[in-house]
Amino acid sequence: MLSRMAKSSLFAVFAALIVVIAAAAQPGENKYNSQEISESDGVPVLMKHLPDYEQIRGKAVFARDVASLKPTLGDRPELDMIDFSAGTEAVTAPYDAGKLLIVEYASPQASVEADGQFQKAAAANTTIAYRRIGNYNVLVFDVTDAAAANALIDQVRYEKQIQWLGNNPFRISAERAFVMQTADLFLSTVYVILAGVGIALLGGLISGIVYFQLRERRRAAMTAYTDAGGMTRLNLDGFTPDVFP
């Protein structure tokens, strides 16, 4: 029988083995509470979309609320425009061209609604550069060189791929899509009407020919012709045969 000390050692080794296996099965811990993290290191994918992430990773800040952004960016009115209630995530980092902020909304609709507000804010403040890239709303604060700020924004890539079950509705503009859909509907309606008229004419022609052929066969089988239509008439012409009891 094994001694108590040997049993304790085996138990410790077994527990350590379980911890190692569990750690290997979960390589990326979601300590950021992000909706999408990297499987290799547990860092939010949004942070890795920062330009030159490997060089500024120590200065990057991930946020799920405005309070986490203000220590880095300061108390700015533009930050209060961000609605974090529906799973919005943001990341910021300082660069030579300014302080970059990338905001990712949970839906394209929310991103489009915020786009108008950010555009107005950037138009009213020359120290802010802004652009919407994919589903990202990208801002650069404390801009001194507009060209450098725009070059920094150019490095932001929205790399998420969307697979549509049918045709991509955003492949063309909304106005062109509306015109094309209206034209398709009009042509389909015309085709249906013409097909209905053609079927009606063809059906009428076939029915007329069949009816004419039946009438001709019936008339050919008659020994004498009368236009009385089966009514009682005078036999003045002598062609109607006598009817015997």
Side-chain angles (χ1 to χ4, degrees):
M1 296 178 64
L2 295 174
S3 64
R4 182 177 298 178
M5 183 177 297
K7 291 181 178 179
S8 300
S9 300
L10 289 176
F11 179 78
V13 172
F14 184 71
L17 182 62
I18 293 177
V19 172
V20 171
I21 294 175
Q26 297 178 355
E29 182 183 359
N30 191 3
K31 63 180 180 180
Y32 294 95
N33 194 23
S34 174
Q35 297 182 4
E36 186 178 7
I37 63 172
S38 174
E39 296 181 356
S40 59
D41 52 11
V43 175
V45 176
L46 182 61
M47 292 185 65
K48 293 192 173 184
H49 287 179
L50 287 167
D52 299 327
Y53 169 71
E54 296 298 332
Q55 284 72 28
I56 54 89
R57 60 187 306 174
K59 301 178 182 179
V61 175
F62 178 81
R64 291 179 59 88
D65 52 51
V66 178
S68 301
L69 292 175
K70 288 186 177 181
T72 304
L73 297 176
D75 190 4
R76 303 174 186 270
E78 293 79 15
L79 300 181
D80 296 328
M81 300 178 183
I82 306 174
D83 183 11
F84 285 94
S85 61
T88 302
E89 299 179 353
V91 62
T92 181
Y95 292 87
D96 295 337
K99 296 179 179 180
L100 178 66
L101 173 64
I102 303 176
V103 183
E104 182 181 13
Y105 288 88
S107 64
Q109 292 79 6
S111 178
V112 171
E113 292 178 1
D115 180 60
Q117 298 180 357
F118 289 138
Q119 286 186 8
K120 292 180 181 178
N125 191 344
T126 57
T127 63
I128 298 177
Y130 168 74
R131 191 185 310 166
R132 182 171 181 262
I133 303 174
N135 204 32
Y136 291 163
N137 297 76
V138 184
L139 299 97
V140 179
F141 298 101
D142 301 334
V143 175
T144 56
D145 186 353
N150 289 323
L152 178 63
I153 295 177
D154 290 338
Q155 300 179 46
V156 178
R157 296 288 185 269
Y158 186 76
E159 299 177 347
K160 297 182 180 180
Q161 300 294 329
I162 300 177
Q163 298 293 334
W164 297 94
L165 297 179
N167 294 328
N168 184 359
F170 302 103
R171 182 181 55 187
I172 56 179
S173 63
E175 293 79 6
R176 182 175 175 81
F178 175 76
V179 172
M180 294 177 64
Q181 291 176 358
T182 304
D184 292 341
L185 178 61
F186 175 77
L187 292 177
S188 299
T189 304
V190 172
Y191 291 154
V192 170
I193 294 175
L194 292 178
V197 172
I199 292 174
L201 292 176
L202 182 61
L205 180 62
I206 294 175
S207 299
I209 294 175
V210 171
Y211 180 77
F212 177 77
Q213 293 294 334
L214 293 176
R215 292 288 296 178
E216 284 296 315
R217 291 181 181 180
R218 183 179 177 183
R219 183 175 300 173
M222 292 181 179
T223 57
Y225 173 77
T226 175
D227 59 354
M231 296 185 298
T232 303
R233 61 185 293 276
L234 296 176
N235 188 16
L236 300 178
D237 50 14
F239 288 108
T240 304
D242 295 332
V243 178
F244 297 98

